[in-house]
């Protein structure tokens, strides 16, 4: 067929028609060309017979030429829309059109016409061999199918469906021996085997439908394994191969011994395995498709080797179908694919002896979406875009935006699927997010949806911020210097990140000047300036910040110049003058440009204008007070100067005091100082005194004069040099400045330089020294952060004022103000706490008079803090240590700073208690962050006084002495660290501050005479005491039956025996514990705890048995008619004597020992420094002493009660004797000597009290033996009877036979009458005979016995 020359494009249709006929018609292809212009069609209908059956099929190729290529798509769309088959018309009702398809499209390219096959069609093989192919479009090799030719073949054929052949690979075994010639394809044996076997295969397989060939490909060992291929044009039916194999074995010579059961299909690649989609996202619906030419095969699916047996309706489904009777397709669909579904999938197709299949390993690709997860949107109608992009390259079907939150603000989405990005633009205004919802967060979600169902999303948290409406104080603010003002700034938005105030220059105001309060419906910040200076003149911004959103309100402040009261320098401060003379007064202020004041002087209720005089930097205003009439003398006058500025604000100076005198007693006269009477003291500003200074300089401070004889003598000078005074004035202004943080570093640098320059003046002038201390105290309140450069300047200043040459000025300063050194130390601690240590901060700073070392706590593993300080000039050293366990509780980046001072010990000691002297370094350790629990620190100090006093670890307590400060030992103790303690003192404390050691003179020096004397008294006294107590117990044992015949006597001796026993045991334990300590034996903790417990218990028992004895005496004297049984009295006595001490001592050890603070660190006795456990002994003992003293007073009062018939003179004499007798007997028994212990408790008590207390207590056992045992007459008589002194004893017995009614002394004695009165022998209780057994008689006799 000739191609139409006028056609620009052409294509070929294939039309398949079916016609019902029973004839076999053979037709020749006839071509009828027809050209259709303007969308016309040229038809060519070559017809040929395909096959003769009952229903015949004809294929018609139609060539269509067209000039507009776009018409091709219309034709395709029209053909696709046809509903096939199309029934024939009325002229040929038996013919139907079964299918219509475009097979070939030709497109002009230059002078060539390139003809390509549509998808699914190929040029016939012979056409590819004999035609010119499109080299650039088709790379088909000769002899194979091609898809593009140059030019359309004139006679056809055109593009056709490819021929389909099925190749089956099979192997079978011959049960004969394998010969090597079978490997050689040229050998006769190989050709013979191949020919015979192929003949048998052809004969056997020819019964298979579509059989084409059977070819042997290889012989292998295993007897003889024959590999061959069978080629079919159509798929075999199930079971057909078994029958064919039987035919093969029957047609083959039996000598080959073919094994019928060994036929086995070999896996081949006829199976096509596809996965849709190729890139799987989590959530996709994944389709696995297995396609095979073997239509009749059975299909099964496997996952990780396990067969899948699933039905439709779940997450999996399997569908198998046959396409065009040509291929079998099995689909496995996995819905909502997850990472758990990843793995190997395999499809298997089986048919008789054949097994086909393939596998794929599936992985899940996570969907990664990029977006900024947090955004802030200010509701100011400005557009804000939320951007969302996918990292994955995929053909996304759509991108959606969703939102969730308390408020709903919609945006405008813009999506570009090709770039996998989407933008959501928000444009919020104030109506959408009112102030009450400011800070509300709405979550916007961008969701990517794949064509196969997977979704990936990203949340973007959008915080909507209302634009805060700020209202600020509306009234104009116009103040004068020194006055107070405040600005209130209110926001209708409660949520914010920060509120601060700025100056117009952008400098942040120090937070100390403003406050912040939140309310339910508003937030409020108030800027308050108590004392305004001219630096506050300007515009101020109140700023509310939330994230990066700022709301600002401004306010102008006008500050009019006016001197502060403290800046007015007056002369005179006070003066005396003659009534007949005039007197000059002046007030001076520092001159500033633009200042104009109206100044008046006020005397009483009168005011007078002042004259102005400018002297250098000073503007002085003068007034001359005229002379008064003599009748007004003497008189005291107060003079004030008033400064009034342009805003009509005024300030009044302090009063200038003038005393007018007649002039009779005036002795001192000076043109500068004035006049005065002898002894008169006046103060004068150094600026207006005769102190030398450079012209124009302003010096500070005051100087005090006293009138001595006829001259004014300088009594005290507190002048401040001009440079230091200028810095002091600047420091006072700086702490009132709004930009104090920015000015502080420069100021500290100037202070350091001036201190070095004025070092000589600071050494000699207490005023300048005090000014520098005041400056440091003022500046320490400013910084929130101190840099290393600032700390270097601070230490340089400290080095100057702590030099040894300044100690004299410190002493003079102390006499004027006693808290300057404590104030200075507190300033240093505040600076070190604010120190921020960076990576480049030097770890130490050295000066001769101060050293600083520091460390920053690391994030992961804090190291132990150990610092050592050595001052060679002062011959002092010390070190500080904090272990890792303590540092682990600190926050990371915390800084530890230690500052050591070698000379501060002398300065602080003079401010502290007079009897305590620090003789070591003073080391201050601070931590930048707060500490919530006890923090242990260990320090070692050099002990310069090896033989002087007992060392005591102390810290400086700023709250002592009415906040003047003082040394305190609370929480600190001296410890043993295993090293020689002669030249060092090891301390441990449970808190941080400034530490040192003190040598207390209250504890005698180890080698002093007082210590030796007290030791001798203690050991000799304890020896006599133990011997006496043992003797007392022996005597009581010997005379027990003789002296315990009545209840009261029995109970008295019970008390005496227990007192002696308890004191004996306590003294023995005391000696044992003292021997352990004095002998420097290692203190066994368990033994020491036991010793402390028993000493505490038995000493308390001594006191409580003394109390029992006193209470019994009180009971017998007061409750005469009451009588208790012996068993009751005995039970009460033992309960009180042993029960109470046991309870007290057990509670004490139970409460304090678990914390290891029961004992002292260096002795086996109750602790005092840490827990005050010693009070568990002191309080009960002192209370018993008070009770027994009260009982003694009652006893003496009863004895002094006069009896009837006594003469006044004799009564007085006998009373004195009876008082002496009672005190002499009762005092040692009731333990009143322990009252002397009160004097020794007082710090700094005289050594005499120590000696008296030691004597009385050490010899108390001897006193008990003498006065409690041997002085008793019954005891004496029992001893005499025991040793057979019968004569003396019998005489005594006679006198004693009256004992029931007669005291020890003669009845005629006045003292005897006093005792009779005391024990009820007069009045209603008179007893006449010894045989009387009344209660009153027994009580009287018992009381008598108890007294003796």
């Amino acid at each position: 067929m000739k191609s139409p020359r006028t056609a620009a494009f052409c294509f070929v249709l294939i039309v398949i028609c079916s016609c019902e006929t029973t004839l076999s018609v053979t037709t020749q292809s006839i071509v009828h060309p027809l050209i259709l212009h303007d969308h016309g069609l040229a038809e060519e209908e070559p017809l040929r017979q395909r096959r003769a059956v009952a229903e015949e099929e004809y294929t018609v190729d139609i060539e269509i030429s067209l000039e507009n290529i776009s018409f091709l798509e219309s034709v395709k769309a029209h053909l696709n829309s046809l509903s096939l088959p199309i029934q024939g018309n009325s002229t040929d009702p038996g013919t139907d059109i079964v299918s219509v398809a475009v097979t070939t499209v030709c497109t002009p390219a230059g002078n060539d016409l390139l003809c390509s096959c549509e998808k699914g069609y190929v040029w016939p093989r012979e056409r590819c061999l004999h035609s010119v192919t499109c080299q650039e479009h088709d790379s088909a090799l000769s002899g194979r199918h091609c898809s593009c030719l140059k030019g359309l073949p004139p006679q056809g054929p055109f593009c056709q469906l490819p021929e389909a052949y099925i190749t089956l690979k099979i192997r079978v075994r011959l049960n004969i021996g394998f010969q090597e010639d079978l490997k050689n394809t040229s050998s006769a044996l190989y050709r013979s085997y191949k020919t015979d076997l192929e003949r048998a295969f052809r004969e056997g397989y020819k019964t298979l439908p579509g059989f084409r060939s059977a070819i042997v490909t290889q012989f292998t060992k295993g007897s003889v394994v024959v590999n061959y291929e069978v080629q079919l044009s159509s798929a075999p039916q199930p079971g057909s191969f078994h029958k064919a194999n039987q035919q093969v074995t029957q047609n083959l010579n039996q000598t080959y011994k073919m094994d019928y059961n060994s036929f086995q299909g070999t896996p081949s690649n006829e199976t096509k395995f596809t996965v849709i989609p190729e890139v799987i996202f989590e959530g996709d619906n994944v389709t696995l498709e297995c396609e095979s030419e073997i239509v009749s095969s059975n299909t099964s699916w496997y996952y990780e080797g396990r067969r899948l047996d699933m039905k439709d309706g779940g997450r999996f489904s399997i569908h198998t179908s046959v396409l065009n009777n040509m291929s079998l397709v099995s689909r496995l669909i996995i819905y909502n694919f997850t990472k758990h579904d990843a793995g190997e999938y395999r499809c298997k197709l089986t048919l008789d002896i054949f097994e086909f299949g393939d596998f794929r390993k599936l992985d899940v690709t996570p969907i990664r979406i990029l977006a900024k997860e947090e955004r802030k949107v200010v509701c100011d109608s400005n557009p804000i875009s939320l951007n969302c992009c996918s990292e994955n390259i995929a053909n996304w079907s759509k991108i959606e935006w969703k939102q969730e939150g308390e408020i709903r603000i919609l945006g405008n989405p813009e999506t570009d699927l090709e770039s996998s990005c989407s933008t959501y633009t928000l444009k919020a205004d104030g109506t959408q997010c009112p102030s009450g919802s400011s800070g509300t967060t709405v979550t916007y979600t961008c969701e990517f949806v794949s064509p196969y169902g997977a979704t990936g999303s990203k949340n973007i948290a959008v915080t909507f911020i209302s634009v805060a409406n700020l209202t600020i104080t509306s009234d104009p603010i116009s103040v004068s210097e020194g006055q107070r003002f405040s600005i209130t700034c209110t926001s209708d938005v409660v949520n914010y990140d920060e509120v601060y105030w700025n100056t117009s220059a952008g400098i942040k105001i120090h937070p100390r000047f403003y406050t912040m309060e939140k309310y339910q419906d508003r937030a409020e910040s108030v800027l308050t300036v108590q004392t305004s200076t001219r630096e506050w003149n300007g515009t101020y911004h109140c700023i509310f910040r939330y994230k990066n959103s700022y709301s600002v309100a401004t306010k102008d402040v006008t500050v009019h110049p006016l001197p502060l009261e403290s800046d007015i320098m007056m002369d005179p401060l006070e003066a005396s003058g003659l009534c007949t003379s005039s007197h000059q007064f002046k007030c001076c202020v520092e001159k500033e440009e633009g200042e104009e004041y109206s100044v008046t002087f006020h005397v009483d209720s009168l005011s007078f204008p002042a004259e102005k005089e400018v002297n250098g930097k000073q503007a002085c205003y003068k007034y001359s007070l005229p002379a008064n009439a003599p009748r007004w003398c003497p008189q005291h006058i107060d003079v004030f100067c008033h400064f009034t500025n342009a805003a009509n604000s005024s300030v009044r100076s302090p009063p200038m005091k003038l005393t007018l005198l007649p002039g009779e007693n005036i002795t001192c006269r000076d043109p500068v100082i004035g006049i005065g009477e002898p002894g008169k003291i006046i103060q004068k500003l150094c600026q207006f005194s005769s102190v030398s200074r450079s012209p124009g300089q302003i010096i500070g401070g005051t100087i005090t004069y006293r009138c001595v004889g006829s001259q004014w003598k300088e009594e005290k000078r507190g002048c401040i040099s001009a440079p230091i005074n200028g810095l002091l004035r600047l420091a006072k202004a700086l702490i009132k400045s709004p930009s104090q943080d920015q000015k502080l570093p420069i100021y500290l640098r100037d202070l350091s330089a001036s201190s070095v320059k004025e070092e000589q003046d600071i050494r000699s002038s207490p005023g300048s020294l005090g000014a520098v201390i005041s400056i440091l105290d003022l500046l320490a309140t400013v910084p929130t952060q101190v840099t290393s450069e600032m700390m270097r300047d601070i230490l340089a200043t400290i080095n100057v004022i702590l030099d040894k040459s300044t100690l004299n000025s410190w002493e003079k300063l102390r006499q004027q103000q006693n808290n300057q050194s404590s104030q200075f130390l507190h300033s240093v601690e505040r600076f070190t706490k604010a120190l921020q240590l960076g990576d480049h901060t030097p770890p130490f700073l050295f000066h001769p008079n101060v050293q600083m070392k520091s460390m920053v706590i690391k994030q992961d593993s804090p190291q132990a803090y150990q610092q050592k300080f050595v001052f060679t000039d002062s011959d002092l050293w010390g070190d500080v240590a904090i272990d890792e366990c303590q540092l682990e509780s600190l926050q990371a980046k915390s800084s530890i700073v230690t500052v050591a001072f070698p000379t501060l010990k002398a300065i602080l000691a003079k401010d502290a208690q007079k009897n305590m002297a620090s003789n070591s370094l003073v080391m201050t350790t601070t931590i930048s962050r707060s500490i919530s629990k006890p923090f242990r620190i260990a320090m070692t100090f050099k002990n310069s006084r090896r033989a002087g006093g007992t060392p005591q670890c102390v810290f400086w307590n700023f709250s002592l002495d009415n906040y003047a400060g003082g040394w305190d030992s609370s929480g600190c103790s001296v410890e043993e660290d295993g090293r020689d303690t002669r030249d060092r003192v090891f301390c441990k404390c449970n808190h941080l501050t400034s530490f040192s050691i003190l040598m207390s003179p209250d504890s005698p020096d180890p080698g002093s005479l007082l210590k030796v004397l007290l030791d001798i008294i203690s050991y000799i006294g304890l020896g006599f005491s133990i011997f006496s107590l043992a003797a007392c117990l022996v005597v009581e044992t010997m005379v027990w039956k003789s002296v315990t015949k009545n209840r009261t006597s029995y109970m008295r001796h019970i008390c005496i025996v227990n007192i002696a026993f308890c004191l004996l045991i306590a003294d023995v334990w005391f000696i044992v514990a003292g021997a352990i300590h004095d002998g420097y034996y290692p203190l066994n903790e368990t033994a020491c705890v036991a010793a402390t417990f028993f000493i505490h218990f038995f000493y308390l028992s001594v006191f409580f048995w003394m109390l029992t004895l006193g209470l019994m005496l009180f009971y017998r004297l007061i409750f005469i008619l009451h009588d208790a049984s012996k068993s009751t009295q005995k039970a009460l006595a033992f309960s009180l004597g042993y029960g109470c001490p046991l309870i007290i001592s057990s509670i004490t050890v139970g409460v304090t020992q678990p914390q290891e603070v029961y004992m002292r660190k260096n002795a086996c006795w109750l602790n005092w420094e840490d827990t005050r456990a010693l009070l568990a002994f002191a309080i009960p003992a002192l209370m018993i002493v008070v009770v027994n003293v009260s009982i003694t007073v009652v006893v003496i009062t009863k004895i002094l009660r006069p009896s009837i018939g006594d003469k006044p003179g004799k009564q007085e004499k006998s009373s004195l004797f009876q008082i002496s007798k009672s005190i002499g007997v009762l005092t040692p028994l009731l333990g009143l000597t322990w009252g002397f212990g009160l004097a020794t408790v007082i710090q700094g008590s005289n050594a005499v009290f120590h000696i008296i207390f030691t004597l009385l207590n050490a010899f108390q056992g001897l006193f008990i033996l003498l006065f409690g045992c041997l002085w008793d007459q019954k005891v004496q008589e029992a001893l005499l009877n025991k040793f057979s002194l019968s004569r003396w004893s019998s005489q005594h017995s006679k006198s004693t036979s009256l004992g029931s009614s007669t005291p020890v002394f003669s009845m005629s004695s006045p003292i005897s009458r006093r005792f009779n009165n005391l024990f009820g022998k007069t009045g209603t209780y008179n007893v006449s005979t010894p045989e009387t057994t009344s209660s009153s008689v027994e009580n009287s006799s018992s009381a008598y016995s108890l007294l003796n």
Side-chain angles (χ1 to χ4, degrees), residues 1076-1298:
I1076 293 175
H1077 178 252
D1078 293 341
Y1080 297 104
Y1081 299 121
L1083 296 181
N1084 185 295
E1085 185 175 356
T1086 304
C1088 204
V1089 170
T1092 304
F1093 175 80
F1094 285 116
I1095 292 173
H1096 185 202
F1097 171 71
F1098 283 111
Y1099 270 134
L1100 276 180
S1101 297
V1102 170
F1103 278 97
F1104 276 94
W1105 277 109
M1106 289 180 180
L1107 177 63
T1108 304
L1109 187 62
L1111 292 176
M1112 191 165 296
L1113 174 61
F1114 181 78
Y1115 170 74
R1116 287 304 179 191
L1117 290 177
I1118 303 302
F1119 303 99
I1120 297 177
L1121 296 178
H1122 187 274
D1123 185 29
S1125 64
K1126 183 187 295 184
S1127 59
T1128 301
Q1129 294 183 35
K1130 189 175 180 181
L1132 291 175
F1134 274 89
S1135 299
L1136 185 63
Y1138 289 115
C1140 291
L1142 182 61
I1143 293 173
I1144 294 173
S1145 56
S1146 298
I1147 291 176
T1148 303
V1149 69
V1151 170
T1152 58
Q1153 179 56 27
Q1155 285 78 34
E1156 298 183 356
V1157 286
Y1158 176 54
M1159 306 171 298
R1160 296 186 180 185
K1161 304 299 181 183
N1162 55 353
C1164 297
W1165 186 227
L1166 296 174
N1167 188 296
W1168 173 254
E1169 292 83 2
D1170 298 320
T1171 58
R1172 300 292 192 267
L1174 185 59
L1175 294 176
F1177 172 75
I1179 291 177
L1182 294 178
M1183 291 178 63
I1184 292 172
V1185 169
V1186 172
V1187 172
N1188 284 348
V1189 168
S1190 303
I1191 292 174
T1192 303
V1193 172
V1194 173
V1195 171
I1196 293 174
T1197 304
K1198 295 285 287 184
I1199 292 174
L1200 289 177
R1201 188 173 59 188
S1203 61
I1204 301 174
D1206 287 338
K1207 295 181 180 180
K1210 293 182 179 180
Q1211 183 179 8
E1212 181 181 358
K1213 192 180 293 185
S1214 63
S1215 297
L1216 292 173
F1217 179 77
Q1218 185 60 48
I1219 292 172
S1220 303
K1221 172 73 174 178
S1222 299
I1223 294 176
V1225 173
L1226 293 175
T1227 298
L1229 294 180
L1230 301 181
L1232 291 180
T1233 52
W1234 284 86
F1236 285 99
L1238 285 172
T1240 63
V1241 174
I1242 301 173
Q1243 195 173 30
S1245 58
N1246 195 287
V1248 175
F1249 292 103
H1250 288 268
I1251 296 174
I1252 294 175
F1253 180 63
T1254 303
L1255 278 171
L1256 292 176
N1257 280 281
F1259 290 94
Q1260 192 168 4
L1262 181 61
F1263 296 156
I1264 290 175
L1265 174 64
L1266 295 177
F1267 299 108
C1269 184
L1270 296 180
W1271 207 359
D1272 189 343
Q1273 185 177 356
K1274 289 187 178 183
V1275 174
Q1276 296 174 10
E1277 291 174 358
L1279 289 175
L1280 290 175
N1281 290 332
K1282 198 75 174 177
F1283 291 102
S1284 302
L1285 300 177
S1286 58
R1287 182 178 179 183
W1288 189 88
S1289 177
S1290 63
Q1291 292 175 357
H1292 248 63
S1293 299
K1294 290 178 182 179
S1295 64
T1296 312
S1297 63
L1298 304 173

Side-chain angles (χ1 to χ4, degrees), residues 442-591:
V442 177
T443 301
Y444 287 84
T445 304
C446 64
E447 185 176 78
F448 286 69
V449 181
S450 77
Y452 303 97
T455 59
S457 61
K458 190 75 170 181
N459 292 335
I460 304 175
V462 179
T463 303
F464 289 94
I465 305 163
S466 300
V467 178
N469 296 315
L470 301 185
T471 57
I472 202 164
T473 303
S474 59
D475 297 333
I477 297 179
S478 177
V479 296
S480 296
E481 283 190 89
Q483 294 180 344
R484 178 186 181 276
F485 73 87
S486 65
I487 308 173
T488 301
C489 181
T490 305
S491 167
D492 60 350
V493 176
V494 179
N495 296 325
Y496 57 86
D497 287 337
E498 183 184 15
V499 176
Y500 59 94
W501 292 74
N502 267 5
T503 65
S504 56
I507 299 174
K508 275 191 177 183
I509 295 176
H510 198 283
R512 69 162 70 181
F513 291 108
Y514 57 86
T515 60
M516 187 64 221
E517 292 290 340
K518 278 187 179 182
Y519 301 96
Q520 187 174 1
D521 58 344
R522 71 187 191 279
E524 186 176 271
S525 180
V526 180
L527 173 68
T528 303
V529 179
Q530 298 294 342
T531 305
S532 59
T533 63
R534 66 193 66 190
E535 279 193 68
W536 287 96
N537 189 73
T539 302
Y540 293 91
H541 305 286
C542 167
I543 303 172
F544 278 71
R545 182 185 68 83
Y546 186 85
K547 304 282 185 189
N548 295 323
S549 174
Y550 298 86
S551 298
V552 183
T554 61
K555 188 66 181 177
D556 292 329
V557 176
T558 302
V559 180
H560 300 279
L562 187 68
L564 300 178
E565 180 182 331
S566 59
D567 292 338
I568 301 175
M569 294 175 286
M570 305 167 296
D571 185 52
L573 296 177
E574 54 182 330
S576 298
L578 296 175
C579 295
T580 57
S581 302
S582 62
H583 305 282
Q584 295 289 333
F585 295 90
K586 66 178 176 181
C587 292
C588 299
V589 294
E590 193 170 351
K591 184 178 179 299

Side-chain angles (χ1 to χ4, degrees), residues 184-368:
N184 185 2
T185 57
S186 302
S187 66
L189 182 64
Y190 179 90
R191 290 194 299 272
S192 173
Y193 272 50
K194 179 178 173 64
T195 301
D196 293 342
L197 288 169
E198 288 182 350
R199 184 185 302 111
F201 290 149
R202 285 193 296 272
E203 292 295 328
Y205 293 138
K206 68 182 181 180
T207 60
L208 295 176
F211 172 76
R212 291 177 62 89
S213 63
I215 301 172
V216 175
T217 58
Q218 188 182 17
F219 296 99
T220 57
K221 289 183 178 180
S223 299
V224 176
V225 177
V226 181
N227 296 281
Y228 61 98
E229 294 180 355
V230 176
Q231 196 174 64
L232 305 175
S233 62
S234 62
Q237 296 298 320
S240 59
F241 251 93
H242 290 296
K243 296 179 182 180
N245 289 337
Q246 291 178 357
Q247 294 295 325
V248 170
T249 56
Q250 292 174 5
N251 289 301
L252 183 65
N253 193 319
Q254 297 301 316
T255 58
Y256 284 97
K257 298 181 181 179
M258 179 177 285
D259 187 353
Y260 170 76
N261 295 321
S262 65
F263 282 97
Q264 183 178 357
T266 303
S268 61
N269 59 352
E270 282 83 3
T271 304
K272 182 181 179 182
F273 197 111
T274 56
V275 179
I276 302 174
E278 295 181 0
V279 178
I280 301 173
F281 297 121
E282 190 165 4
D284 271 337
N285 296 327
V286 179
T287 301
L288 309 182
E289 188 174 278
C290 200
E291 183 178 354
S292 174
E293 297 173 341
I294 310 299
V295 178
S296 304
S297 60
N298 295 321
T299 308
S300 56
W301 288 89
Y302 294 84
Y303 170 66
E304 295 290 342
R306 178 175 55 85
R307 179 169 180 172
L308 297 178
D309 185 13
M310 294 159 283
K311 298 181 180 179
D312 295 346
R315 290 189 57 244
F316 303 88
S317 66
I318 299 176
H319 299 276
T320 302
S321 61
V322 178
L323 298 180
N324 298 326
N325 291 322
M326 298 179 64
S327 61
L328 180 100
V329 177
S330 180
R331 292 186 180 90
L332 169 64
I333 302 177
I334 307 170
Y335 300 99
N336 193 19
F337 200 92
T338 67
K339 60 182 180 180
H340 302 293
D341 298 324
E344 182 182 278
Y345 288 82
R346 180 182 295 273
C347 71
K348 289 185 179 180
L349 296 89
T350 57
L351 175 65
D352 293 348
I353 63 173
F354 301 99
E355 183 176 285
F356 308 96
D358 204 350
F359 70 92
R360 292 289 186 276
K361 188 170 184 179
L362 305 186
D363 292 320
V364 178
T365 301
I367 300 177
R368 295 184 179 88

Side-chain angles (χ1 to χ4, degrees), residues 708-901:
V708 179
S710 61
Q711 291 184 342
W712 289 103
K713 299 292 185 182
E714 183 179 310
E715 188 171 72
K716 184 171 60 177
R717 175 179 292 201
C719 296
I720 306 172
S721 67
I724 299 297
N725 184 56
L727 287 172
L728 179 60
R729 293 167 64 89
L730 288 176
K732 292 178 180 179
L734 186 142
I735 63 171
K736 302 183 183 76
S737 170
S739 55
Q740 50 190 247
D741 280 340
Q742 289 74 24
K743 292 183 177 182
L744 184 60
I746 300 173
Y747 181 90
L748 287 173
R749 194 178 311 123
D750 295 340
L751 176 63
S752 172
S754 297
S755 298
V756 175
K757 191 179 297 183
E758 299 296 318
E759 184 173 359
Q760 186 61 38
D761 182 72
I762 293 174
R763 291 176 181 175
S764 59
S765 171
S768 294
L769 175 62
V772 176
I773 296 171
S774 298
I775 289 172
L776 291 175
D777 184 57
L778 289 171
L779 300 183
T781 64
V782 173
T784 53
Q785 289 186 353
V786 174
T787 64
S788 58
E789 291 76 13
M790 294 165 64
M791 183 57 72
R792 186 179 291 107
D793 294 328
I794 292 169
L795 293 184
T797 303
I798 292 173
N799 181 62
V800 173
I801 65 176
L802 288 185
D803 191 76
K804 292 180 181 178
S805 59
T806 64
L807 294 181
N808 186 42
S809 293
W810 277 101
E811 174 62 23
K812 293 179 181 178
L813 191 63
R814 185 195 64 80
Q815 296 172 3
Q816 301 171 17
Q817 300 179 10
N818 67 343
N819 69 334
Q820 289 287 84
S821 57
S822 181
Q823 181 182 346
F824 161 74
L825 187 57
H826 193 210
S827 302
V828 175
E829 288 196 13
R830 283 182 288 177
F831 279 122
T832 55
K833 282 184 179 180
L835 177 61
Q836 298 297 314
L837 296 175
D839 297 334
H840 304 292
T841 301
F844 54 84
L845 294 171
F846 285 170
H847 292 280
N849 301 310
V850 62
Q851 294 180 10
M852 186 197 82
K853 295 186 178 181
S854 56
M855 186 183 80
V856 178
I857 302 299
K858 295 183 179 179
Q859 181 75 35
D860 299 326
S861 56
Q863 299 177 351
Y865 179 73
Q866 292 182 335
Q867 305 291 357
K868 187 175 184 65
F869 300 91
V870 179
F871 293 88
T872 55
D873 295 342
S874 305
D875 192 24
L876 290 174
W877 58 265
D879 57 52
V880 179
I882 303 174
D883 58 27
E884 297 92 334
C885 297
Q886 298 292 320
L887 300 182
E888 286 175 354
S889 63
L890 299 179
Q891 299 180 24
K893 303 296 183 181
S894 298
S895 57
I896 306 177
V897 181
T898 301
V899 183
F901 313 92

